[in-house]
Amino acid sequence: GTCSPAVKSNAVALTFYPLLIAGAHNIYPLIVCVDYNPDVLSFTTAISGGKTPYLYQWRINSTNVAGETNATFDPPALASAGTYCYDCVVTDGCGTGFTTSSKIITIVPDPSVSISGNASICQNSSITLTANVTDGTGLYAYQWRTGTAASGPWTPISGATSATFNPPTTS
C-alpha cells in the first residue's frame, strides 16, 4: 500500500467580540413652553462591547435626523406645540444594534389669561375677580394691577398676588 504524508493546515485565529451593551442618554421627560431649547443629548452611560466603531443615528419621533450621526445631538429650539421623542439607533461593526430609550419633551402653548367676574356692580357691594389661566405649565405667580384706563398705565396692587382678587367698591 501507499501512504499519504500527513497534511497540516494553517492556523486560523478567531476573534470573538463581547456582547454589545447599550448605553443611555438623559431620558428625563419635560413639559415646557413654546421656543424651549433642549439641552444637548449625549451618552451618560457609555456603550461597551461589540465591535467598534459604533455608528449613531439620532431620531425625532422615529424619523432619522439628517446628518445627526455623532455620539451627541443638539436638538433645535422647539417652536411648535406637540410631543417630541428623541432616541438614537446605535449599531456596532458586527451589525448588532439597539435603540435607546426615548427622551420625551412635550411642548405646550404659551399661557393666556382671562379675568372673570361681574363687570357692573353697585358701590359698596362685593365682587370677586378670578384670573383663569389656560395652557402653559407649572405654577403661576399672580400680581393684580390697577389703572385709570383699559390701556394703563398700570400700578401693582400691594398684596394682591393670588388667582382671585376682591377689589374695593367704595369709590
Side-chain angles (χ1 to χ4, degrees):
T2 61
C3 293
S4 298
V7 176
K8 286 187 175 182
S9 68
N10 58 323
V12 174
L14 298 175
T15 302
F16 292 96
Y17 296 97
L19 288 176
L20 178 63
I21 298 180
H25 56 81
N26 176 344
I27 59 169
Y28 183 76
L30 295 172
I31 299 174
V32 291
C33 291
V34 171
D35 291 328
Y36 175 75
N37 190 5
D39 291 337
V40 172
L41 293 172
S42 60
F43 282 80
T44 54
T45 302
I47 301 166
S48 62
K51 180 182 177 186
T52 57
Y54 303 124
L55 303 175
Y56 303 89
Q57 178 59 67
W58 289 93
R59 305 184 314 167
I60 296 177
N61 298 334
S62 299
T63 300
N64 290 350
V65 179
E68 293 300 335
T69 56
N70 294 314
T72 61
F73 172 48
D74 188 5
L78 302 170
S80 300
T83 300
Y84 299 83
C85 298
Y86 296 96
D87 62 26
C88 187
V89 176
V90 179
T91 308
D92 74 354
C94 294
T96 303
F98 66 87
T99 301
T100 63
S101 295
S102 294
K103 164 93 174 170
I104 300 173
I105 301 175
T106 303
I107 302 295
V108 296
D110 287 334
S112 61
V113 176
S114 65
I115 298 173
S116 62
N118 193 344
S120 179
I121 60 163
C122 296
Q123 188 172 2
N124 295 320
S125 58
S126 65
I127 182 174
T128 299
L129 300 176
T130 303
N132 303 296
V133 180
T134 56
D135 296 323
T137 182
L139 301 175
Y140 301 103
Y142 299 89
Q143 176 61 68
W144 289 88
R145 303 181 302 172
T146 186
T148 56
S151 59
W154 300 103
T155 303
I157 300 169
S158 179
T161 56
S162 70
T164 60
F165 177 60
N166 300 99
T169 59
T170 55
S171 60

